[in-house]
Amino acid sequence: MSVDVKLEDVWVRFGSFTAVKNANVTIRGGEFFSFLGPSGCGKTTLLRCISGFQEPTDGKILFDGKNMAGIGPNKRPTALIFQNLALFPLMSVADNIAFGLEVRGIGKAQRRKKADELLDLIALPGQGDKKVGELSGGQKQRVAIARALAVEPEILLLDEPLSALDLKLRQHMRTELREIQKRVGITFIYITHDQGEALTMSDRVAVMSEGVIEQVADSVTLYDRPEKPFVASFVGENNDFRGRVTSVSEGYAEVETSEGLFRGRVSEGNRDALSGSGPASIFVRPEALKIAGTATEASNAFEANLLQEEFEGNMRHLVLESKGGQRLRMTLVNDGHVLDYGPGSTVPVVFNPELAIVLPQEA
Amino acid sequence: MKSAQFLRVVLGAYIVLFFAYLFGPLILMSITAFNSSEFPRVTPWDCFSTDWFNVLVEDKRIMTGLRNSIIIGFGVVCLSVPIGLAAAMMLTQVGRRMKSFFYTVVVSPILVPGVVLGISTLIFWDRLGTMFDASYNSVFYNGIFLSILGQSTFVSAYCMLVFTARLQRFDPVQEEAALDLGATNAQAFVKILLPFLKPAIGSAAVMAFLASFENYNTTIFTIVSESTLTTVLASKVRFGINPSISALAVIIVVLTLICAIIHEAMKRQEARRAQAAKDERVVADYASVGRFATSPWGIVLLVFLAGLGTIWLATRYDTASCKMRLQDERQLRLEQSTPSTPAVTPGAATPGTTTPSTTTPTTTPSGSEPAAKPYQGIFAPQNLDQVAPKDEGEAAPAGEGKSDGESKPYQGIFAPQNLDNVAPKSD
Ligand SMILES: Nc1ncnc2c1ncn2[C@@H]1O[C@H](COP(=O)(O)OP(=O)(O)OP(=O)(O)O)[C@@H](O)[C@H]1O
Ligand SMILES: [Mg+2]
């Protein structure tokens, strides 16, 4: 039923511009897989390659091991939900949903039956005779999903389908999409520039930057064990101390920064890149920074000036400035203690090497 | 305050003038269709008559021309709309540099004078015909065929412009969506693009037909030995005109009006239906008599009633007896004027036309001398109100003026019929 998709050394060039650089990724059957990256990084281009609207300049796209080169979009077992949905405005909702069946020569009664079934699935029962223009944004969204599901694709491709919706609806649709995926059990390939969407819905996420797939991992790994500086700073918030590596040992490395010598974790993959004394960054999440004395174990310590405090009920966000002039953010859980420091005072800060990540920087 | 009022007056005057300029000739011409006078004119008004419509229908040349025009019009529509559509779609597909080149190629027939298109079409097919040694009855010399081809060269360019305007608003992602859902290219075209283009196809077809129907420059060459309405009318103007042309104009104007009103009505109905979908009360609100009378359908009904009324009037009104009476009056006038010096008949003279009797002979069309009394007498009443103000223009018999009542040269050109009809009866 579900098909895995493999991209092998895929390159896409538009004239002199390279939109996708050497993409290698395997998407497993039945998986909810996301491509996450800032605008213009080549996500849509990659998706168009998978759906068949764009031939890769180089490399192969395999569905279950079968090369898809030269097979048109109407011959692939994919259905694409477009960034702007692309519903057919001149047709009714039911006709939109049944379009894929109509072009396959399926009879009217059967089409209608299928459309009604899908309208039930997307919680719009009995609305098949409406015009597309009479639907709300979220309803259109769901109709687009139903239209794509009607052709019983083995891979559903979704190009930022929620970006046009307001926050509330977006959050609601996230859950709904995930549920639909579980119900139909097919491969979902989802594109977004919203990390919240990617992290909450996906089994695995590929983070892209400027045409390069930086890291493919599940949400927790992406957040806790980023492999690339771009991933570390793009996914969630991070404090970035720059410096040079002084030593590497047993999964840890020490970095000489303007704030002092810090220790942090090093992944297997980055170990070689960090040996020698190349430029590196040590990334620490705002919630990993603590005020000295409150944390039990914290070998990395420095001092910083408190600029400002933002109170958010359950959280306190502190904006600090280090001695080297770097802005930092610290997040404290509000546990009822009154903060001992006011704006302008010097705060002793510590963090656990276990929660700090050392990553090589480009020279 | 004052200047605002003044502005409004000026604006009003401008609008009145503008509409008079636009519709004045049409209205005047329509009126002449109902005057029994042999020459299309409004004053002097002879008798109300619908005979000219009969004359029109019985005019073989006009009817053949009309038939040919319609056939050619349909041919042009069938040829130009697909060509224009294909060209427009091509434009959306090709790259930028290719695009401007292709655009120039397709649009160039609009810029080439119609005469040139006509002549080149004729010569081209004549050469081909000679090459194949074809007879003059073959398609190479068929006026209708050649006219369809010749007109289509530029009409298809018009169509392309209509389609490109519409296609620019087409979201190509729609077509991709159709393909993605498994449609073939042909299915995507038929089910997605064509429905979107439907309004443009309609307007392109109407425009193509009208452009073909009214074309003269190209047709006059490509029509060879046949004729279309425009060529018949043009030749008629040369050999003498009568109000049956006005009758034709009335028919065309009325048809156009009715089509426009129906189109408008359908558009409004659509809008109303869309509105009704949002708010059901609007429908009930619309069902009042006053609204109906001002709605397009109401206007169609009024126009229809007016037409019925005219026909009814026409049947009631005894044109023949009116003509007879007019005849008698003329006779009487003639008898009065022959013995004495040509006196100005008070009834026909308007203030500006009380010319000295001596000028009358010199301005008669045939250049007849004062001695040719009977003719002069017959023409006198008409000449008096039409010729006198135009004294200075008498030496221009080939003048191109369109309005009937103003020029004497036309009187000269078109007079032969008048002479034939009137003179014998006056004896
Ligand atoms: N047909 C094309 N011709 C030339 N350049 C293109 C074409 N399609 C995309 N690009 C370029 O490729 C890059 C990636 O585009 P793509 O649409 O894949 O971005 P994206 O990641 O989907 O961005 P967004 O989140 O804004 O949708 C962009 O810089 C874009 O300008
Ligand atoms: Mg995109």
Side-chain angles (χ1 to χ4, degrees):
Chain A
M1 170 90 187
S2 50
V3 166
D4 37 272
V5 178
K6 190 167 186 195
L7 308 187
E8 268 183 17
D9 309 324
V10 171
W11 291 75
V12 180
R13 296 190 188 87
F14 298 111
S16 60
F17 178 78
T18 307
V20 175
K21 293 169 194 152
N22 198 26
N24 273 293
V25 60
T26 304
I27 298 158
R28 299 176 201 127
E31 187 173 36
F32 197 123
F33 190 93
S34 293
F35 284 96
L36 171 66
S39 186
C41 69
K43 306 182 296 285
T44 300
T45 307
L46 211 48
L47 204 68
R48 290 173 67 81
C49 288
I50 298 173
S51 59
F53 287 110
Q54 175 81 50
E55 280 293 327
T57 322
D58 239 323
K60 277 190 276 187
I61 291 170
L62 309 165
F63 286 5
D64 270 348
K66 189 163 160 273
N67 194 344
M68 284 287 123
I71 296 180
N74 46 4
K75 299 269 170 15
R76 296 193 185 192
T78 58
L80 175 56
I81 294 175
F82 290 82
Q83 203 157 358
N84 65 355
L85 302 185
L87 293 177
F88 307 130
L90 299 178
M91 296 182 193
S92 71
V93 168
D95 285 347
N96 259 283
I97 293 177
F99 182 83
L101 307 176
E102 187 187 342
V103 297
R104 283 170 174 72
I106 288 166
K108 197 162 185 181
Q110 214 176 332
R111 291 205 308 261
R112 186 73 215 199
K113 193 164 152 272
K114 181 84 186 181
D116 285 340
E117 266 173 41
L118 283 161
L119 281 168
D120 285 343
L121 178 80
I122 58 169
L124 286 175
Q127 311 228 27
D129 291 324
K130 275 196 177 173
K131 281 261 182 250
V132 170
E134 294 164 24
L135 297 179
S136 74
Q139 290 172 332
K140 278 186 195 152
Q141 185 59 60
R142 283 181 275 171
V143 171
I145 293 169
R147 184 178 73 173
L149 290 176
V151 299
E152 293 178 1
E154 284 163 293
I155 302 159
L156 190 68
L157 308 167
L158 304 99
D159 191 352
E160 305 198 31
L162 306 186
S163 54
L165 306 181
D166 61 59
L167 183 67
K168 246 298 174 23
L169 195 56
R170 206 151 63 212
Q171 284 171 342
H172 173 71
M173 286 303 297
R174 278 183 200 174
T175 341
E176 204 151 324
L177 269 180
R178 185 71 221 210
E179 263 170 27
I180 291 175
Q181 195 260 342
K182 283 208 186 107
R183 233 176 299 162
V184 294
I186 59 173
T187 313
F188 270 43
I189 301 180
Y190 190 92
I191 277 191
T192 179
H193 60 251
D194 180 332
Q195 46 170 302
E197 274 178 24
L199 297 184
T200 49
M201 289 194 287
S202 320
D203 294 319
R204 288 194 305 151
V205 180
V207 179
M208 284 185 80
S209 160
E210 294 176 7
V212 177
I213 295 181
E214 299 273 359
Q215 187 174 354
V216 182
D218 61 81
S219 307
V220 176
T221 311
L222 272 187
Y223 193 83
D224 289 344
R225 303 266 179 274
E227 294 277 337
K228 294 279 172 64
F230 175 82
V231 180
S233 48
F234 186 73
V235 179
E237 272 191 273
N238 238 329
N239 296 303
D240 173 4
F241 299 94
R242 305 243 169 158
R244 293 201 162 264
V245 183
T246 54
S247 68
V248 184
S249 65
E250 281 305 297
Y252 286 91
E254 288 187 340
V255 181
E256 181 69 53
T257 71
S258 56
E259 311 308 323
L261 188 69
F262 293 147
R263 237 168 99 80
R265 292 174 60 98
V266 173
S267 74
E268 272 309 304
N270 280 325
R271 204 172 158 158
D272 288 347
L274 286 170
S275 52
S277 60
S281 280
I282 180 157
F283 286 96
V284 191
R285 297 272 177 205
E287 63 270 22
L289 289 180
K290 304 280 181 208
I291 293 171
T294 61
T296 44
E297 186 201 350
S299 55
N300 297 315
F302 62 99
E303 288 190 334
N305 211 357
L306 179 59
L307 294 181
Q308 193 185 323
E309 184 192 346
E310 294 158 7
F311 182 72
E312 200 197 280
N314 58 340
M315 294 286 186
R316 275 203 178 94
H317 300 286
L318 306 188
V319 181
L320 305 161
E321 192 177 50
S322 70
K323 293 281 184 268
Q326 191 180 355
R327 284 288 169 99
L328 303 169
R329 284 180 76 85
M330 179 194 283
T331 301
L332 302 174
V333 177
N334 182 12
D335 52 4
H337 280 89
V338 181
L339 196 63
D340 300 332
Y341 303 91
S345 55
T346 302
V347 183
V349 184
V350 294
F351 61 91
N352 189 341
E354 200 64 36
L355 301 175
I357 306 284
V358 180
L359 295 172
Q361 285 282 6
E362 309 254 307
Chain B
M1 261 314 247
K2 265 250 170 90
S3 72
Q5 224 162 16
F6 174 72
L7 214 73
R8 209 180 306 160
V9 169
V10 169
L11 192 70
Y14 171 76
I15 288 172
V16 167
L17 265 178
F18 181 71
F19 278 102
Y21 165 70
L22 265 188
F23 298 117
L26 283 181
I27 293 170
L28 220 74
M29 187 164 196
S30 304
I31 295 173
T32 61
F34 298 97
N35 192 351
S36 68
S37 154
E38 293 288 330
F39 182 81
R41 64 181 178 189
V42 176
T43 55
W45 184 262
D46 289 359
C47 297
F48 176 84
S49 141
T50 50
D51 293 346
W52 294 118
F53 290 86
N54 295 334
V55 174
L56 172 74
V57 174
E58 271 149 32
D59 190 324
K60 281 252 163 52
R61 287 183 59 211
I62 288 189
M63 285 297 129
T64 322
L66 187 62
R67 198 204 61 195
N68 287 346
S69 282
I70 290 172
I71 292 173
I72 292 172
F74 274 111
V76 168
V77 167
C78 293
L79 199 58
S80 305
V81 170
I83 291 179
L85 178 56
M89 286 178 58
M90 179 84 181
L91 272 184
T92 62
Q93 306 284 320
V94 296
R96 181 160 299 164
R97 208 173 317 148
M98 190 65 195
K99 197 178 200 160
S100 62
F101 170 74
F102 186 75
Y103 184 84
T104 315
V105 169
V106 178
V107 164
S108 57
I110 296 182
L111 307 174
V112 174
V115 179
V116 176
L117 290 179
I119 295 175
S120 47
T121 306
L122 185 67
I123 292 176
F124 177 76
W125 287 89
D126 170 61
R127 286 299 93 196
L128 273 188
T130 328
M131 235 169 77
F132 290 108
D133 218 5
S135 83
Y136 282 107
N137 296 324
S138 67
V139 77
F140 297 99
Y141 301 97
N142 182 321
I144 291 180
F145 174 71
L146 292 190
S147 296
I148 291 175
L149 288 187
Q151 291 178 1
S152 292
T153 53
F154 65 92
V155 175
S156 54
Y158 287 141
C159 291
M160 183 205 69
L161 294 179
V162 172
F163 286 126
T164 31
R166 180 81 181 157
L167 274 177
Q168 264 160 10
R169 278 187 287 147
F170 182 69
D171 180 7
V173 175
Q174 297 259 317
E175 222 166 5
E176 287 191 348
L179 288 180
D180 188 64
L181 292 167
T184 60
N185 280 307
Q187 281 173 322
F189 176 75
V190 171
K191 289 184 193 290
I192 304 297
L193 191 60
L194 270 193
F196 176 81
L197 286 176
K198 215 165 88 184
I201 291 173
S203 40
V206 169
M207 197 207 59
F209 183 83
L210 291 180
S212 159
F213 195 76
E214 57 133 46
N215 182 269
Y216 178 75
N217 295 356
T218 306
T219 317
I220 189 68
F221 294 102
T222 54
I223 198 66
V224 198
S225 59
E226 317 231 11
S227 62
T228 67
L229 187 64
T230 48
T231 62
V232 171
L233 292 187
S235 68
K236 267 205 182 301
V237 168
R238 216 167 293 144
F239 297 120
I241 196 170
N242 69 32
S244 62
I245 307 280
S246 304
L248 180 64
V250 169
I251 292 171
I252 292 175
V253 166
V254 168
L255 280 182
T256 313
L257 256 179
I258 288 178
C259 287
I261 291 169
I262 288 176
H263 175 77
E264 181 67 22
M266 270 151 60
K267 239 171 60 182
R268 286 201 192 178
Q269 202 164 38
E270 191 106 310
R272 226 180 318 137
R273 216 175 279 148
Q275 185 66 35
K278 284 186 197 153
D279 180 10
E280 275 143 48
R281 271 166 303 170
V282 179
V283 184
D285 189 37
Y286 209 87
S288 76
V289 181
R291 282 276 181 93
F292 177 75
T294 53
S295 80
W297 288 115
I299 293 171
V300 168
L301 192 74
L302 289 180
V303 169
F304 183 69
L305 287 178
L308 275 185
T310 313
I311 293 169
W312 180 75
L313 250 175
T315 52
R316 282 273 315 257
Y317 189 81
D318 191 355
T319 309
S321 73
C322 168
K323 273 186 179 165
M324 202 77 90
R325 206 166 55 238
L326 204 72
Q327 203 74 63
D328 292 345
E329 266 171 39
R330 283 199 183 135
Q331 187 89 26
L332 200 69
R333 238 177 280 156
L334 181 70
E335 277 161 12
Q336 279 176 351
S337 60
T338 18
S340 60
T341 44
V344 179
T345 35
T350 55
T353 61
T354 46
T355 35
S357 51
T358 43
T359 60
T360 316
T362 58
T363 54
T364 40
S366 51
S368 55
E369 278 144 43
K373 287 244 163 107
Y375 272 93
Q376 202 186 336
I378 289 163
F379 281 105
Q382 291 159 331
N383 285 347
L384 275 177
D385 26 10
Q386 284 166 27
V387 177
K390 254 276 180 172
D391 265 352
E392 68 282 355
E394 65 173 344
E400 291 262 316
K402 288 247 163 71
S403 178
D404 46 299
E406 67 176 18
S407 73
K408 176 210 155 192
Y410 268 109
Q411 194 81 21
I413 289 169
F414 303 117
Q417 288 158 312
N418 285 352
L419 278 175
D420 294 344
N421 292 339
V422 181
K425 286 176 204 149
S426 67
D427 284 338

